[in-house]
Amino acid sequence: ELQQKVEEAELLKLELQMLETERVRLSLVEEKLMDVLQLLQQLRDLNISKRALGKILLSTLESCRDPQPGKAQLFEVLDTLQQELTACELSHRQPMEQAQSPPSLSNPLVISC
């Protein structure tokens, strides 16, 4: 009977560790999702078109179609989407900042995308 209680305690301890691991994973996903939602809000404030945002989302989903081994697919999609949205935000903020500052004459032949 004592052996059975020890085994039950070990099983409960293992289950508790699994629950804690899952809680941490969900917390990370929640943080990443909040970051993505904040970026979407900022892009909306920059008047990025719905079509451009749709293209970013479809591009992200396409690039994450085949999950990488050892990486949770949901987290991979959110991470990639965050990177794409950040790049979009930076590219749209830089022209606005350049328009507010005096033009630089360092290299007039450089074309920004």
Side-chain angles (χ1 to χ4, degrees), residues 79-111:
D79 194 41
T80 304
L81 183 57
Q82 181 187 20
Q83 292 170 8
E84 293 290 327
L85 292 173
T86 300
C88 181
E89 180 191 28
L90 290 175
S91 69
H92 280 81
R93 281 191 186 267
Q94 287 175 348
M96 289 174 49
E97 291 169 359
Q98 289 173 355
Q100 294 171 354
S101 65
S104 100
L105 299 174
S106 61
N107 190 349
L109 298 176
V110 173
I111 299 172

Side-chain angles (χ1 to χ4, degrees), residues 37-88:
L37 291 174
Q38 286 175 345
L39 281 168
L40 284 171
Q41 181 68 40
Q42 290 168 358
L43 288 171
R44 190 181 80 168
D45 293 344
L46 290 174
N47 294 324
I48 305 299
S49 72
K50 291 178 183 177
R51 173 173 269 179
L53 291 174
K55 286 181 180 181
I56 290 170
L57 179 60
L58 290 175
S59 165
T60 299
L61 293 174
E62 182 68 27
S63 70
C64 296
R65 185 185 320 168
D66 300 322
Q68 296 177 0
K71 196 170 185 185
Q73 187 173 9
L74 175 62
F75 198 77
E76 179 184 353
V77 170
L78 287 174
D79 194 41
T80 304
L81 183 57
Q82 181 187 20
Q83 292 170 8
E84 293 290 327
L85 292 173
T86 300
C88 181

Side-chain angles (χ1 to χ4, degrees), residues 1-38:
E1 188 176 319
L2 183 60
Q3 180 64 28
Q4 185 180 6
K5 291 205 183 247
V6 168
E7 288 174 2
E8 287 177 7
E10 288 296 320
L11 285 174
L12 287 174
K13 195 183 293 185
L14 183 61
E15 189 174 327
L16 184 61
Q17 286 176 339
M18 289 173 34
L19 286 173
E20 182 62 21
T21 300
E22 184 66 13
R23 186 192 67 76
V24 169
R25 187 188 71 80
L26 288 174
S27 178
L28 291 172
V29 168
E30 181 183 24
E31 287 177 23
K32 187 63 72 171
L33 186 57
M34 289 301 295
D35 291 344
V36 167
L37 291 174
Q38 286 175 345

